[in-house]
Amino acid sequence: MGHLALGALFARTLDLDELVLMPAGQQPQKQGSTAAAHRLAMTRLAAEGLAAALAASHPSTQVIVSTREIERAGPSYTVDTLREMRREAGPGASLSLLIGSDQLVRLDTWHAWRELFDYAHICAAARPGFSRETASAPLRKVFAEREKSALGVQSTPCGGILIDDSLAVDISATELRATLAHAQNAAKPPANLPEPVWQYIRAQHLYRA
């Protein structure tokens, strides 16, 4: 639900034409990921609910599920994805990478992280307790140099950072997986998981203890 809330937030804040949900392929910083086919299926189920909600509240945004990364061979680097998307969108379109603040403060551990700004803006939703001071000094310098308003992101192609602290959703994917490991027989899904995704997880026997 945190991912969906982040997408809905920036769909409204940036008046997005398209909101692309993209399951990662082979994640370089993560081992033992759930099979890509399952993650894609769950993303599609979640996207249906998000699309319905946005159709009522913000109908100008089209929700798209992309298989771009899971179809790519080898490690799935975000910079490669953004480079491809920039080439397809052209030099003038405003592109934004939407992430949580937990990833923002460790952005300098990503592959070729400085090049991300050559292709897109980076927009982050701050979780409760977020502090820029937890980022490295070089990264804090980048925050200061590149921070933009929503209008600044909308009106330029790439290169900025937008940090939004209005979401206040504190959901950890690690904690959710731990909850799922012991909740397979529960009558209702965890509060932070869409019902269709919960039913898929149960049917496919995923995330069991």
Side-chain angles (χ1 to χ4, degrees), residues 74-97:
S76 185
Y77 292 120
T78 301
V79 69
D80 295 332
T81 299
L82 294 180
R83 187 183 297 113
E84 290 176 1
M85 296 182 75
R86 170 55 64 193
R87 185 166 57 245
E88 294 166 6
S94 178
L95 297 182
S96 294
L97 171 67

Side-chain angles (χ1 to χ4, degrees), residues 134-145:
T134 60
S136 66
L139 198 49
R140 293 198 304 273
K141 185 173 184 291
V142 169
F143 293 168
E145 293 172 346

